[in-house]
Amino acid sequence: MKKTFLLLVLAVTTMVAAHAQGPRIGIRAGANYAGFGGSDADNLDRIWGGHAGLTANFPVTTDNFFSIQPELLFSMKGAETKDDVFKVKVNYLDVPVLGRVNAGPLYFEAGPQVSVRISGDVEQNGTNIQDNLDDFKRTSLGYAAGVGLSATPLGLSIGVRYNGDISKLYDDSSAPNYRNDVFMLTLGYQFGAR
């Protein structure tokens, strides 16, 4: 719990420090195509979910070629069996801190991500059979990378992003070797863009 608190304080401090130096604040939302990766995940399919949250973009260079972009996103993840009988849905607060290269309208982004599990459930044949996912780790470490297009004067952007966990979902070594594995289609808007 202390680690989770310290990671969240670090993320908020990063966003506040960036805000003090004049970043552009924005919002982001879109679709997740989520699944579980790992050596034991061969019998699982992906599920659809969504994400939404806040962004801050802090230019590091005067021409805005390189910037740092911390985000705070609510993100829906999970997986289901190939026969659709068993489904796991897990909701997280994702805190990626991305380095972003702005090459005209095209941008590239990559960086580490901390995820904090906030809720979830397990369904069997469409019926909720478990609300308590305490056997899942509370926090996980991962990475995110993406590419997109931005219309800077309008403040709009559209991109695709992949994020994956380095951490396993379970602390128990006898549990399946699962890691979150998510493709995102994301739309963004920056306030006061110019």
Side-chain angles (χ1 to χ4, degrees):
M1 190 67 178
K2 283 185 180 181
K3 278 189 205 177
T4 303
F5 179 74
L6 290 174
L7 291 172
L8 284 174
V9 168
L10 177 63
V12 170
T13 303
T14 301
M15 291 181 89
V16 170
H19 181 65
Q21 298 176 24
R24 287 176 295 226
I25 305 300
I27 55 175
R28 175 171 306 285
N32 287 357
Y33 190 50
F36 292 159
S39 58
D40 298 330
D42 293 340
N43 64 332
L44 299 176
D45 277 340
R46 294 181 174 277
I47 62 172
W48 288 97
H51 65 273
L54 302 172
T55 67
N57 187 278
F58 172 63
V60 174
T61 60
T62 55
D63 62 356
N64 196 28
F65 179 73
F66 183 72
S67 59
I68 301 295
Q69 183 163 298
E71 300 180 346
L72 179 61
L73 302 174
F74 171 81
S75 189
M76 301 163 70
K77 304 177 186 181
E80 65 184 0
T81 55
K82 292 187 183 297
D83 57 9
D84 298 334
V85 170
F86 189 75
K87 182 185 289 188
V88 178
K89 298 188 290 187
V90 191
N91 300 318
Y92 289 88
L93 282 180
D94 287 343
V95 184
V97 179
L98 306 171
R100 180 168 161 158
V101 173
N102 301 295
L106 195 61
Y107 67 84
F108 304 90
E109 59 190 7
Q113 174 173 284
V114 175
S115 300
V116 179
R117 178 180 47 83
I118 56 173
S119 66
D121 62 44
V122 177
E123 294 178 2
Q124 187 168 0
N125 293 319
T127 302
N128 185 10
I129 61 170
Q130 181 182 354
D131 285 328
N132 182 353
L133 297 182
D134 285 344
D135 46 347
F136 279 53
K137 286 184 180 178
R138 186 74 169 162
T139 60
S140 59
L141 298 175
Y143 56 91
V147 62
L149 293 169
S150 62
T152 305
L154 301 175
L156 298 173
S157 66
I158 184 169
V160 291
R161 183 184 292 177
Y162 172 80
N163 69 56
D165 284 354
I166 298 168
S167 306
K168 294 180 181 179
L169 288 177
Y170 298 103
D171 282 321
D172 184 354
S173 60
S174 64
N177 176 17
Y178 294 153
R179 292 175 172 83
N180 283 309
D181 180 7
V182 183
F183 292 96
M184 303 166 73
L185 174 63
T186 185
L187 303 172
Y189 177 75
Q190 287 185 345
F191 299 101
R194 52 192 180 281

